[in-house]
Amino acid sequence: MSTTQNKDYYGTLGVKKTATADEIRKAFRKLARKYHPDVNPNDKKSEEKFKEISEANDILSDDKKRKVYDQVGFYSDQIDPATAEAYARQQANSRQAPPVDFGGFDFSGFGAGQGPAAGQGGQGSASWGSFRDIFSGIFTGNEQQRRQRGPEPGTDLEYQAPVEFWTAIRGGNARIEIHRQEVCPTCHGQASSGAPVQCPECSGTGQVTQMGGRMKFNIPCPRCGGTGRISNACPTCQGEGLVHRTESIEFRIKAGTRDGQRIRLQGKGNAGINGGAAGDLYVIVRTGTHPVFTRVGDDIHLHVPITIAEAALGSKVDVPTIDGRAQLRIPPGTQSGQKLRMRERGVENAGAPGQRGDEIVTVEVVVPQLNDERSKEIMREFAKLNNQDPRVTLFDKL
């Protein structure tokens, strides 16, 4: 199937335009069982009906074909989804452009080598070229049409901002340099200067005529966007209505802000068009590191060395926290690498003030260097009194 004319495929299958692929498949199977030629031999009406539902199923069961059909109103193999989407967007946004009615036209002549034109010096492909030119013409003049529409909001921006370790924990101010669009100070966003004059392309009518084979189309003038008048582009913004500038933005960091957290700065994005509101700026926080503390969520992790005696006998040792010194109880028999938790010694949760994480201390038992004979003698005595082999269980697992 190369081309199809305007048909109500949804009505043919008896489904809504919002029908899912599964609903379309079920509807087709139900109708196919009813109108299949094998079930209705020598029945021309059933045969034609079966062809109709088969054609409808072929279009609606294919995502790309269905998209083209929904946006243009008919399907052709020569129209790609991007072109169909551009046409639908132009029809929805343009105030001036009347809808193009394709009903009653024979589109079969616009396939390469098809239709009456194909027999006239090989003009079939040229006809399709004209058809594509028509679509292309409909989609031109976007900049002018944009200027004639109502206010349009500016686009959002997103930047990553490095923030110091302590600023993220305790809160404070940070600063970031961004590049954004602002309303042109010369034309105030109008994109033009001087009084508008009559468009020479359409002689002020706002429409031009294009031919495509046997079809004649009146489409919005691509130069003036259908307004019939044009203005000289603003020399400052070159007709954009916006200028680019670099700006340093200061923003507030809440205590407990985590790495990767997004902060929204309303109205700090790109400026809008035709009086539209400015977009927003989203700052993604990237917290710095610390030589002692490692932050994981709202918890603080660190490694603390302890002596053999402190590990074996138990003790209370001073450890650093983000609030200063604090005592940590070392249980007797603590092993190197063991983790001890200090509750609510971590970072305050930015979204739930008053709730804090924990501090996770990993103890590392430090083996001393024995430099005198007396210490060595004591260690030998200690080894005799505690002669358990810590590797026994290792060999038992072999």
Side-chain angles (χ1 to χ4, degrees), residues 24-94:
I24 291 173
R25 183 171 57 253
K26 290 180 179 179
F28 169 70
R29 289 179 177 177
K30 181 179 179 180
L31 293 172
R33 286 193 295 267
K34 181 178 180 180
Y35 294 105
H36 198 281
D38 293 342
V39 180
N40 305 275
N42 301 321
D43 187 339
K44 291 295 184 181
K45 290 185 177 180
S46 295
E47 183 178 348
E48 289 299 320
K49 184 65 176 178
F50 184 75
K51 290 181 179 179
E52 290 179 9
I53 63 175
S54 297
E55 180 180 328
N57 181 66
D58 177 65
I59 301 300
L60 299 184
S61 62
D62 186 296
D63 290 341
K64 292 184 178 179
K65 293 181 180 180
R66 182 178 180 182
K67 184 176 182 180
V68 171
Y69 172 73
D70 287 342
Q71 293 177 326
V72 179
F74 69 95
Y75 175 75
S76 169
D77 292 339
Q78 307 295 341
I79 302 177
D80 58 81
T83 301
E85 183 176 355
Y87 169 76
R89 185 168 57 249
Q90 190 274 341
Q91 289 297 96
N93 292 336
S94 175

Side-chain angles (χ1 to χ4, degrees), residues 116 270 322 324 367:
N270 286 326
I322 59 174
V367 177

